[in-house]
mmCIF file of all heavy atoms in Angstrom:
data_model
loop_
_atom_site.group_PDB
_atom_site.id
_atom_site.type_symbol
_atom_site.label_atom_id
_atom_site.label_comp_id
_atom_site.label_asym_id
_atom_site.label_seq_id
_atom_site.Cartn_x
_atom_site.Cartn_y
_atom_site.Cartn_z
ATOM 1 N N LYS U 66 20.548 10.545 0.587
ATOM 2 C CA LYS U 66 20.743 11.552 1.631
ATOM 3 C C LYS U 66 21.846 12.522 1.222
ATOM 4 O O LYS U 66 22.633 12.233 0.322
ATOM 5 C CB LYS U 66 21.126 10.906 2.971
ATOM 6 C CG LYS U 66 20.062 10.016 3.606
ATOM 7 C CD LYS U 66 20.581 9.386 4.890
ATOM 8 C CE LYS U 66 19.588 8.430 5.517
ATOM 9 N NZ LYS U 66 18.476 9.120 6.160
ATOM 10 N N GLY U 67 21.869 13.661 1.918
ATOM 11 C CA GLY U 67 22.982 14.571 1.726
ATOM 12 C C GLY U 67 22.568 15.990 1.407
ATOM 13 O O GLY U 67 21.696 16.218 0.564
ATOM 14 N N THR U 68 23.199 16.949 2.114
ATOM 15 C CA THR U 68 22.892 18.352 1.893
ATOM 16 C C THR U 68 23.254 18.797 0.490
ATOM 17 O O THR U 68 22.488 19.496 -0.180
ATOM 18 C CB THR U 68 23.650 19.216 2.922
ATOM 19 O OG1 THR U 68 23.264 18.834 4.242
ATOM 20 C CG2 THR U 68 23.333 20.692 2.725
ATOM 21 N N GLU U 69 24.420 18.375 0.004
ATOM 22 C CA GLU U 69 24.835 18.769 -1.341
ATOM 23 C C GLU U 69 23.908 18.182 -2.400
ATOM 24 O O GLU U 69 23.669 18.799 -3.444
ATOM 25 C CB GLU U 69 26.280 18.314 -1.591
ATOM 26 C CG GLU U 69 27.324 19.125 -0.835
ATOM 27 C CD GLU U 69 27.306 20.594 -1.248
ATOM 28 O OE1 GLU U 69 27.027 20.882 -2.440
ATOM 29 O OE2 GLU U 69 27.576 21.459 -0.392
ATOM 30 N N VAL U 70 23.399 16.996 -2.123
ATOM 31 C CA VAL U 70 22.500 16.346 -3.078
ATOM 32 C C VAL U 70 21.244 17.187 -3.286
ATOM 33 O O VAL U 70 20.849 17.488 -4.421
ATOM 34 C CB VAL U 70 22.135 14.923 -2.593
ATOM 35 C CG1 VAL U 70 21.079 14.301 -3.508
ATOM 36 C CG2 VAL U 70 23.365 14.035 -2.550
ATOM 37 N N VAL U 71 20.599 17.593 -2.172
ATOM 38 C CA VAL U 71 19.369 18.372 -2.305
ATOM 39 C C VAL U 71 19.664 19.804 -2.758
ATOM 40 O O VAL U 71 18.850 20.416 -3.461
ATOM 41 C CB VAL U 71 18.565 18.369 -0.983
ATOM 42 C CG1 VAL U 71 18.061 16.974 -0.666
ATOM 43 C CG2 VAL U 71 19.383 18.921 0.176
ATOM 44 N N ARG U 72 20.822 20.342 -2.370
ATOM 45 C CA ARG U 72 21.162 21.698 -2.798
ATOM 46 C C ARG U 72 21.272 21.774 -4.322
ATOM 47 O O ARG U 72 20.744 22.690 -4.966
ATOM 48 C CB ARG U 72 22.461 22.146 -2.137
ATOM 49 C CG ARG U 72 22.843 23.582 -2.503
ATOM 50 C CD ARG U 72 24.154 24.001 -1.865
ATOM 51 N NE ARG U 72 24.001 24.183 -0.425
ATOM 52 C CZ ARG U 72 24.708 23.531 0.490
ATOM 53 N NH1 ARG U 72 25.606 22.648 0.093
ATOM 54 N NH2 ARG U 72 24.531 23.758 1.771
ATOM 55 N N ASP U 73 21.940 20.788 -4.911
ATOM 56 C CA ASP U 73 22.067 20.768 -6.373
ATOM 57 C C ASP U 73 20.706 20.587 -7.040
ATOM 58 O O ASP U 73 20.423 21.192 -8.083
ATOM 59 C CB ASP U 73 23.005 19.643 -6.805
ATOM 60 C CG ASP U 73 24.451 19.900 -6.394
ATOM 61 O OD1 ASP U 73 24.774 21.070 -6.107
ATOM 62 O OD2 ASP U 73 25.240 18.928 -6.359
ATOM 63 N N ALA U 74 19.862 19.742 -6.432
ATOM 64 C CA ALA U 74 18.533 19.501 -7.012
ATOM 65 C C ALA U 74 17.679 20.762 -6.956
ATOM 66 O O ALA U 74 16.968 21.088 -7.914
ATOM 67 C CB ALA U 74 17.843 18.360 -6.267
ATOM 68 N N VAL U 75 17.745 21.505 -5.832
ATOM 69 C CA VAL U 75 16.970 22.739 -5.701
ATOM 70 C C VAL U 75 17.428 23.771 -6.729
ATOM 71 O O VAL U 75 16.608 24.427 -7.386
ATOM 72 C CB VAL U 75 17.085 23.293 -4.262
ATOM 73 C CG1 VAL U 75 16.501 24.701 -4.189
ATOM 74 C CG2 VAL U 75 16.364 22.384 -3.288
ATOM 75 N N ARG U 76 18.731 23.929 -6.882
ATOM 76 C CA ARG U 76 19.245 24.885 -7.854
ATOM 77 C C ARG U 76 18.798 24.517 -9.269
ATOM 78 O O ARG U 76 18.409 25.387 -10.067
ATOM 79 C CB ARG U 76 20.771 24.927 -7.771
ATOM 80 C CG ARG U 76 21.304 25.615 -6.517
ATOM 81 C CD ARG U 76 22.801 25.484 -6.427
ATOM 82 N NE ARG U 76 23.344 26.223 -5.290
ATOM 83 C CZ ARG U 76 24.608 26.140 -4.892
ATOM 84 N NH1 ARG U 76 25.452 25.330 -5.517
ATOM 85 N NH2 ARG U 76 25.022 26.838 -3.848
ATOM 86 N N LYS U 77 18.858 23.246 -9.579
ATOM 87 C CA LYS U 77 18.465 22.773 -10.909
ATOM 88 C C LYS U 77 16.988 23.054 -11.177
ATOM 89 O O LYS U 77 16.626 23.579 -12.244
ATOM 90 C CB LYS U 77 18.753 21.276 -11.020
ATOM 91 C CG LYS U 77 18.309 20.642 -12.325
ATOM 92 C CD LYS U 77 18.614 19.152 -12.326
ATOM 93 C CE LYS U 77 18.131 18.481 -13.611
ATOM 94 N NZ LYS U 77 18.422 17.018 -13.595
ATOM 95 N N LEU U 78 16.127 22.746 -10.212
ATOM 96 C CA LEU U 78 14.688 22.935 -10.407
ATOM 97 C C LEU U 78 14.294 24.407 -10.362
ATOM 98 O O LEU U 78 13.370 24.831 -11.055
ATOM 99 C CB LEU U 78 13.909 22.132 -9.359
ATOM 100 C CG LEU U 78 13.983 20.609 -9.534
ATOM 101 C CD1 LEU U 78 13.344 19.896 -8.346
ATOM 102 C CD2 LEU U 78 13.295 20.189 -10.826
ATOM 103 N N LYS U 79 14.991 25.199 -9.538
ATOM 104 C CA LYS U 79 14.718 26.638 -9.522
ATOM 105 C C LYS U 79 15.059 27.264 -10.876
ATOM 106 O O LYS U 79 14.298 28.095 -11.399
ATOM 107 C CB LYS U 79 15.526 27.316 -8.408
ATOM 108 C CG LYS U 79 14.816 27.403 -7.078
ATOM 109 C CD LYS U 79 15.572 28.332 -6.141
ATOM 110 C CE LYS U 79 14.790 28.588 -4.859
ATOM 111 N NZ LYS U 79 15.458 29.582 -3.991
ATOM 112 N N PHE U 80 16.178 26.853 -11.436
ATOM 113 C CA PHE U 80 16.578 27.383 -12.744
ATOM 114 C C PHE U 80 15.568 26.988 -13.818
ATOM 115 O O PHE U 80 15.160 27.820 -14.654
ATOM 116 C CB PHE U 80 17.972 26.874 -13.106
ATOM 117 C CG PHE U 80 18.495 27.400 -14.406
ATOM 118 C CD1 PHE U 80 18.962 28.702 -14.502
ATOM 119 C CD2 PHE U 80 18.517 26.607 -15.538
ATOM 120 C CE1 PHE U 80 19.450 29.206 -15.714
ATOM 121 C CE2 PHE U 80 18.988 27.095 -16.744
ATOM 122 C CZ PHE U 80 19.452 28.393 -16.833
ATOM 123 N N ALA U 81 15.134 25.727 -13.796
ATOM 124 C CA ALA U 81 14.142 25.262 -14.767
ATOM 125 C C ALA U 81 12.820 26.000 -14.596
ATOM 126 O O ALA U 81 12.140 26.321 -15.572
ATOM 127 C CB ALA U 81 13.936 23.748 -14.625
ATOM 128 N N ARG U 82 12.457 26.288 -13.335
ATOM 129 C CA ARG U 82 11.201 26.987 -13.077
ATOM 130 C C ARG U 82 11.271 28.431 -13.580
ATOM 131 O O ARG U 82 10.280 28.957 -14.097
ATOM 132 C CB ARG U 82 10.885 26.936 -11.574
ATOM 133 C CG ARG U 82 9.605 27.624 -11.171
ATOM 134 C CD ARG U 82 8.408 27.168 -11.973
ATOM 135 N NE ARG U 82 8.240 25.721 -11.969
ATOM 136 C CZ ARG U 82 7.350 25.086 -12.723
ATOM 137 N NH1 ARG U 82 6.595 25.774 -13.566
ATOM 138 N NH2 ARG U 82 7.247 23.781 -12.677
ATOM 139 N N HIS U 83 12.415 29.095 -13.459
ATOM 140 C CA HIS U 83 12.564 30.462 -13.951
ATOM 141 C C HIS U 83 12.441 30.512 -15.473
ATOM 142 O O HIS U 83 11.871 31.453 -16.038
ATOM 143 C CB HIS U 83 13.902 31.050 -13.512
ATOM 144 C CG HIS U 83 13.878 31.607 -12.121
ATOM 145 N ND1 HIS U 83 13.300 32.815 -11.812
ATOM 146 C CD2 HIS U 83 14.362 31.113 -10.954
ATOM 147 C CE1 HIS U 83 13.428 33.045 -10.514
ATOM 148 N NE2 HIS U 83 14.076 32.015 -9.972
ATOM 149 N N ILE U 84 12.964 29.483 -16.140
ATOM 150 C CA ILE U 84 12.827 29.425 -17.594
ATOM 151 C C ILE U 84 11.356 29.285 -17.981
ATOM 152 O O ILE U 84 10.850 29.976 -18.880
ATOM 153 C CB ILE U 84 13.663 28.264 -18.167
ATOM 154 C CG1 ILE U 84 15.157 28.536 -17.954
ATOM 155 C CG2 ILE U 84 13.354 28.049 -19.641
ATOM 156 C CD1 ILE U 84 16.053 27.413 -18.442
ATOM 157 N N LYS U 85 10.643 28.395 -17.288
ATOM 158 C CA LYS U 85 9.219 28.195 -17.584
ATOM 159 C C LYS U 85 8.422 29.456 -17.264
ATOM 160 O O LYS U 85 7.457 29.797 -17.954
ATOM 161 C CB LYS U 85 8.690 27.001 -16.798
ATOM 162 C CG LYS U 85 9.260 25.670 -17.255
ATOM 163 C CD LYS U 85 8.677 24.509 -16.471
ATOM 164 C CE LYS U 85 9.250 23.176 -16.957
ATOM 165 N NZ LYS U 85 8.693 22.033 -16.182
ATOM 166 N N LYS U 86 8.828 30.137 -16.182
ATOM 167 C CA LYS U 86 8.134 31.378 -15.806
ATOM 168 C C LYS U 86 8.324 32.447 -16.877
ATOM 169 O O LYS U 86 7.393 33.198 -17.204
ATOM 170 C CB LYS U 86 8.663 31.870 -14.455
ATOM 171 C CG LYS U 86 7.946 33.114 -13.925
ATOM 172 C CD LYS U 86 8.510 33.514 -12.572
ATOM 173 C CE LYS U 86 7.815 34.759 -12.046
ATOM 174 N NZ LYS U 86 8.367 35.181 -10.716
ATOM 175 N N SER U 87 9.523 32.521 -17.458
ATOM 176 C CA SER U 87 9.770 33.491 -18.524
ATOM 177 C C SER U 87 8.965 33.165 -19.776
ATOM 178 O O SER U 87 8.707 34.038 -20.603
ATOM 179 C CB SER U 87 11.263 33.525 -18.856
ATOM 180 O OG SER U 87 11.691 32.294 -19.399
ATOM 181 N N GLU U 88 8.572 31.911 -19.911
ATOM 182 C CA GLU U 88 7.749 31.497 -21.048
ATOM 183 C C GLU U 88 6.263 31.632 -20.763
ATOM 184 O O GLU U 88 5.435 31.247 -21.597
ATOM 185 C CB GLU U 88 8.083 30.040 -21.411
ATOM 186 C CG GLU U 88 9.515 29.831 -21.884
ATOM 187 C CD GLU U 88 9.850 28.368 -22.080
ATOM 188 O OE1 GLU U 88 9.027 27.521 -21.663
ATOM 189 O OE2 GLU U 88 10.925 28.080 -22.644
ATOM 190 N N GLY U 89 5.936 32.143 -19.585
ATOM 191 C CA GLY U 89 4.536 32.376 -19.250
ATOM 192 C C GLY U 89 3.863 31.237 -18.508
ATOM 193 O O GLY U 89 2.649 31.286 -18.270
ATOM 194 N N GLN U 90 4.612 30.218 -18.121
ATOM 195 C CA GLN U 90 4.027 29.090 -17.395
ATOM 196 C C GLN U 90 4.044 29.372 -15.893
ATOM 197 O O GLN U 90 5.050 29.816 -15.351
ATOM 198 C CB GLN U 90 4.802 27.805 -17.686
ATOM 199 C CG GLN U 90 4.783 27.396 -19.141
ATOM 200 C CD GLN U 90 5.472 26.059 -19.352
ATOM 201 O OE1 GLN U 90 5.455 25.172 -18.488
ATOM 202 N NE2 GLN U 90 6.103 25.899 -20.516
ATOM 203 N N LYS U 91 2.934 29.089 -15.248
ATOM 204 C CA LYS U 91 2.826 29.308 -13.811
ATOM 205 C C LYS U 91 3.261 28.064 -13.038
ATOM 206 O O LYS U 91 3.127 26.935 -13.519
ATOM 207 C CB LYS U 91 1.388 29.670 -13.440
ATOM 208 C CG LYS U 91 0.913 31.003 -14.008
ATOM 209 C CD LYS U 91 -0.496 31.313 -13.530
ATOM 210 C CE LYS U 91 -0.963 32.670 -14.059
ATOM 211 N NZ LYS U 91 -2.339 33.010 -13.597
#
Side-chain angles (χ1 to χ4, degrees):
K66 295 177 183 286
T68 301
E69 287 298 326
V70 174
V71 294
R72 182 181 289 122
D73 292 341
V75 169
R76 288 174 176 172
K77 176 181 178 181
L78 291 172
K79 269 192 173 185
F80 182 76
R82 180 52 53 188
H83 277 283
I84 294 178
K85 292 182 179 179
K86 184 179 179 181
S87 65
E88 296 173 350
Q90 298 185 32
K91 294 183 178 181

